[in-house]
Amino acid sequence: MAAGVAAWLPFARAAAIGWMPVANCPMPLAPTEKNKRQDELIILNVSGRRFQTWRTTLERYPDTLLGSTEKEFFFNEDTKEYFFDRDPEVFRCILNFYRTGKLHYPRYECISAYDEELAFYGILPEIIGDCCYEEYKDRKRENAERLMDDNDSENNQEGSMPSLSFRQTMWRAFENPHTSTLALVFYYVTGFFIAVSVITNVVETVPCGTVPGNKELPCGERYAVAFFCLDTACVMIFTVEYLLRLFAAPSRYRFIRSVMSIIDVVAIMPYYIGLVMTNNEDVSGAFVTLRVFRVFRIFKFSRHSQGLRILGYTLKSCASELGFLLFSLTMAIIIFATVMFYAEKGSSASKFTSIPASFWYTIVTMTTLGYGDMVPKTIAGKIFGSICSLSGVLVIALPVPVIVSNFSRIYHQNQRADKRRAQKKARLARIRVAKTGSSNAYLHSKRNGLLNEALELTGSTEDEQHMAKGTSLIESQHHHLLHCLEKTTGLSYLVDDPLLSVRTSTIKNHEFIDEQLFEQNCMESSMQNYPSSRSPSLSSHHGLTTSCCSRRNKKTTHLPNSSVPATRLRSMQELSTIHIQCSEQPSLTTSRSSLNMKSDDGLRPNCKTAQITTAIISIPTPPALTPEGENRPPPSSPGHSTNISTTTTSNIVKVSAL
Amino acid sequence: MNLEGLEMIAVLIVIVLFVKVLEQFGLIEAGFEDTVEDEMEMATVRHRPEALELLEAQSKFTKKELQILYRGFKNECPSGVVNEETFKEIYSQFFPQGDSTTYAHFLFNAFDTDHNGSVSFEDFVMGLSILLRGTVQEKLNWAFNLYDINKDGYITKEEMLDIMKAIYDMMGKCTYPVLKEDAPRQHVETFFQKMDKNKDGVVTIDEFIESCQKDENIMRSMQLFENVI
């Protein structure tokens, strides 16, 4: 719930009066504000610059330094203000976060300095608003890359590398020639041979002196053997290289389909085909054609040159603009060719024999080449010819800058789109987590609320404060609001998350989910999918869920470790297991396991005061790793949170939140 | 013949081009001008509320309470008025699980007493004043007004059904027990049984107030939000 909206909470609660006449059951009591202080201004002195704000503004986020009692450590008695010896510029952003609920990242700020400040004030960077989040992530990634580069170069100097398999080392050597000297040697050798092969192809056709008979021979025929040997050598090297790459590729299928491998194949196939097909007169024409394909070897250079690759990529991404250019050119060519043909039809000995023949004239004129092999002779032809050349300049010159600017725009856009797509998933996950987080917090506090009532009945007050530590007044009011809604409709909230579905049942109001009831419930309203969820809460029921909860997917498994806003993180990690040592009102908590307790009357005298200890379990591993069907984990194991139906100690009822 | 025709066309084209060039130099005025500025800046709606003293007199809040209310109000809506979209957005933040837009729509109509499509701070304060500091009669009046969608003085079953569905929508899909299709309708039936004394299918304001005053639960829950501010 955003901070700014907290100001509207009174309104929402007041509007809840609209539900009252409709409700069938009585409403729960409203939370009372125990210490309601008059709102006061507090002064924050950050390195000399004084900021002032209301106390309640800061208390909107009780998990941060400024919102909690941690700031008392910085209170200066003499001047009655809170003094922080930190950067006032960044503090401006942080204070604005409290005021508006949105954390912004100023672009001029250094990323590591900003991170440090956030860490100091206890604010998770994931709260950064969408407007600045991209920039923040970019800068962070650059910084991380820089750090990684530093680390890498350090590692390289130390020479400590993780051991990879032979195949993997080979692949790395191929892709990145700077990894080892052998790779570098290989790189230069192949480059050299590509060059040799291309030059050979070119020189083959140069006329090389004469033979007796006054016929000029190209070098290729004069020194046929030498050229053949060179060619063979080159092709052998290329073949070996290709086979090695094929062997080392992590995904052979993908490698075969990649552009570079196709180029390789096309480069070496003509040779083999030529070997097979020698001395066959019929196909010698085709053989000559095949030789043309040898020129494709020059594309092998693109492995050696980053620039070529970028050019190829940008051409590919500008295909639509190029297509447009081509299309408009074609339109103009056809129009002008037709006009010229009909204009020149009458003149004698006109070269414009047909419209396709006029195409040549039109192209040559529009690109301002003007060979002069076809010229119009009539007046009309000349007029149209000049119009043609003028428009040619326009038609060709206009799209070119557009294409050029599109190059850079599309290129950068692609990069940014990829980034955004990658971040979008994370962002959606965050939003979803925040949503479930708030309803989880509600269920959480409902439990606490019930326990509070139990405690109140037993009359111990200090533990109440233990309980209430986690929730602020605004949260309790919000939860009360949701509770009223539940009462009005007679339904109750089910959290969309297996990690926090509660598993004790209270007879009083049938709201908490008893596992068997839930299962029955799900089977009755049986909806679609059987997700292969490995949720421990339904460990013995193999992931049977309703459609709403089938959204529970792999994403939730990284809930504990994921980026959760600070306000939610605490409420989820705290109080994840609550041990209740017997209560004097057994009717309130009749879970299956407490049946043991009921029968034991001898415990009563010992249970004058109910003690509630909260065990804060940090969740080290995602629950997905817990094996299913594990029914009796050892009580002290952290993070394992499966069904605990029967416990060995009869007077401890474990209410596990996981 | 072809030649002549084409020659004429060629000459025509040359003349047209010539005219265009002259136009560029401004020597020939041609065509009509569109001088109307199509783009007018959207006037931003700004609203300043009545003076503090006036509001204090009209409502049952103290000055301090009004100050706190206004600060929160202005924070969320800097322009001073809330339109329905913003209202729905704000309200939906309190109910993340379900869909609260329908109910927010009804609520908006209930707050927007002058029906001008926006809730100003005065409307807001007046509404809250009734809800939080009003007599039970006034609160019930307000609730009746909320349920009576077309403000004709009668709550029909259809209106009640709409309201009920809107409330149930707010709970969302993940509830226990799972929401049955006819639960809102049944709830409406229960409501009408309780409220509709003369069984004529509609509930008037008097029937409503009378039935509510007889019901202990409702009376008690009306007092629930006394200390919200």
Side-chain angles (χ1 to χ4, degrees), chain A residues 18-19 22 478 489 492 494 548, chain B residues 94 103 147 168 174-176 187:
Chain A
W19 308 333
V22 176
H478 187 204
T489 55
S492 70
L494 247 192
C548 68
Chain B
F94 293 109
Y103 189 70
Y147 299 147
Y168 274 87
C174 290
T175 57
Y176 173 77
H187 206 148

Side-chain angles (χ1 to χ4, degrees), chain B residues 206-220:
Chain B
D206 302 309
E207 287 177 345
F208 183 71
I209 294 185
E210 203 190 312
S211 323
C212 284
Q213 280 176 339
K214 294 217 190 82
D215 188 333
E216 269 297 311
N217 279 337
I218 296 183
M219 284 293 111
R220 200 163 351 121

Side-chain angles (χ1 to χ4, degrees), chain B residues 184-203:
Chain B
R185 188 168 286 281
Q186 280 188 356
H187 206 148
V188 171
E189 292 299 325
T190 330
F191 179 78
F192 264 78
Q193 269 174 14
K194 206 168 32 161
M195 300 282 163
D196 190 9
K197 291 286 181 262
N198 55 358
K199 306 286 175 226
D200 57 353
V202 293
V203 177

Side-chain angles (χ1 to χ4, degrees), chain B residues 4 12 25 58 67-68 108 111 128 152 160 214 226:
Chain B
E4 300 227 340
L12 268 175
F25 281 120
Q58 283 176 355
Q67 278 180 345
I68 298 177
F108 185 80
F111 266 88
L128 274 188
D152 62 352
M160 206 57 220
K214 294 217 190 82
E226 292 284 281

Side-chain angles (χ1 to χ4, degrees), chain B residues 95-114:
Chain B
F95 302 98
Q97 287 264 33
D99 172 27
S100 57
T101 42
T102 337
Y103 189 70
H105 168 75
F106 293 135
L107 210 52
F108 185 80
N109 286 338
F111 266 88
D112 184 15
T113 41
D114 46 3

